[in-house]
Amino acid sequence: MNEIADILHREFVYLWYYFDVQLRQIFGYWLLGILLGSCISVFLKDKIHGLLRAMSQSRMGLMGIVPASLLGIASPLCMYGTILLAASFSRSGMRDEWLASFMMCSILLNPQLIVYSTALGTTALAVRIVSCFLCGIAAGLLIWCFKRGKPFFRFDSFDEPVSRDTDQNLVLRLLKNIGRNIRATGPYFLIGVLLSALFQRYVPEDLMTTAFGGNEAFGVLMAATVGVPLYACGGTIPLLQAWLMDGMSMGSAAAFMITGPSTKITNLGALKIVLGIKNFLIYLVFVMTFSFLTGLAVNLLI
């Protein structure tokens, strides 16, 4: 019994070491992301969404997918908030291809996640932002090409979004928003750090290289597939950081960063209602195809 206890204690010490190291490396990025995301949500969200409302009255045509994609990245809303906002934009006459670009980029990225992703390094951050933007552009182009004159979204069951940032005192409003962000992302963040520690302790580096880096096409496909069940908000940043250190190719990381948020279970539930079963399946095929091709392209370029 003493021998078993010694083994368990030793393993706990090792795991705590990896957990502590990973936590120290990434905690600052998580905290900064919380602060930035809350500041944007409290002070700039209405301005960002006001720009989108103004777009619905403009005549930019197909080129509107570019600012729609950029504003999707800048929006701090979660998936359900994004859908409610998109529903109101749709009722005000915004084109479906613009909505597709905005929603796609909003699903994939937000200011908070951009800050988290700086922990992965400059290259990974640039890959994430550029691939997200291009994914939004591609979604808008596909809607424009194949669904012109035909409604793609079904927003009938969604009402106008209700803001939770209503406190008259700006400081209290900001603090409440920070508290909500911590409650929403904190558990996923800690789970991600724990999973990263477990991988570093028990998964050999050469296995990670074989799975995600050695055979580039296979590695990209594996990463795109693993991103579907494993993604959990910013909590996967510690995992990606460990995987990249262990030999994961940048293309595989890019594929994971696309399929992960776009196929997150809670996101899929809302999207299925908005899209209907046929368009929902088209969405899944688009995401998997785009992530795979993006991963291959990134591996060729970097």
Side-chain angles (χ1 to χ4, degrees), residues 109-125:
L109 201 55
N110 57 53
Q112 193 167 310
L113 193 52
I114 289 175
V115 175
Y116 292 168
S117 300
T118 57
L120 302 175
T122 305
T123 301
L125 176 63

Side-chain angles (χ1 to χ4, degrees), residues 124-142:
L125 176 63
V127 166
R128 180 160 219 168
I129 294 173
V130 172
S131 62
C132 165
F133 174 71
L134 293 179
C135 192
I137 295 294
L141 286 174
L142 287 174

Side-chain angles (χ1 to χ4, degrees), residues 38-232:
S38 292
C39 285
I40 290 175
S41 182
V42 171
F43 301 115
L44 296 177
K45 179 175 64 179
D46 290 340
K47 292 183 179 179
I48 292 171
H49 299 159
L51 289 173
L52 276 165
R53 289 191 183 279
M55 279 179 58
S56 64
Q57 307 301 321
S58 69
R59 298 183 177 180
M60 284 185 284
L62 181 61
M63 289 303 297
I65 63 176
V66 175
S69 296
L70 294 173
L71 290 171
I73 293 173
S75 175
L77 291 178
C78 66
M79 179 71 255
Y80 283 89
T82 296
I83 287 178
L84 291 172
L85 189 67
S88 69
F89 291 154
S90 179
R91 283 190 282 268
S92 68
M94 182 173 283
R95 300 160 63 117
D96 273 3
E97 59 265 30
W98 297 3
L99 289 172
S101 294
F102 169 73
M103 291 175 66
M104 191 75 249
C105 285
S106 185
I107 290 170
L108 291 175
L109 201 55
N110 57 53
Q112 193 167 310
L113 193 52
I114 289 175
V115 175
Y116 292 168
S117 300
T118 57
L120 302 175
T122 305
T123 301
L125 176 63
V127 166
R128 180 160 219 168
I129 294 173
V130 172
S131 62
C132 165
F133 174 71
L134 293 179
C135 192
I137 295 294
L141 286 174
L142 287 174
I143 298 297
W144 180 78
C145 287
F146 298 108
K147 290 291 181 177
R148 271 188 285 184
K150 302 176 184 177
F152 188 74
F153 301 103
R154 302 190 312 187
F155 293 117
D156 300 341
S157 58
F158 290 90
D159 299 321
E160 291 284 337
V162 177
S163 176
R164 299 173 68 184
D165 297 311
T166 57
D167 199 294
Q168 295 300 313
N169 186 306
L170 284 179
V171 175
L172 287 178
R173 190 188 305 177
L174 179 61
L175 290 176
K176 288 179 180 179
N177 192 284
I178 290 172
R180 287 196 298 271
N181 272 336
I182 290 175
R183 289 193 298 273
T185 65
Y188 294 113
F189 171 73
L190 293 175
I191 290 171
V193 175
L194 177 59
L195 288 175
S196 175
L198 289 169
F199 268 91
Q200 290 182 65
R201 173 59 181 158
Y202 298 114
V203 179
E205 290 185 17
D206 57 349
L207 179 61
M208 296 301 299
T209 303
T210 302
F212 294 127
N215 183 326
E216 291 187 351
F218 177 74
V220 170
L221 182 61
M222 281 288 294
T225 304
V226 167
V228 174
L230 195 57
Y231 188 83

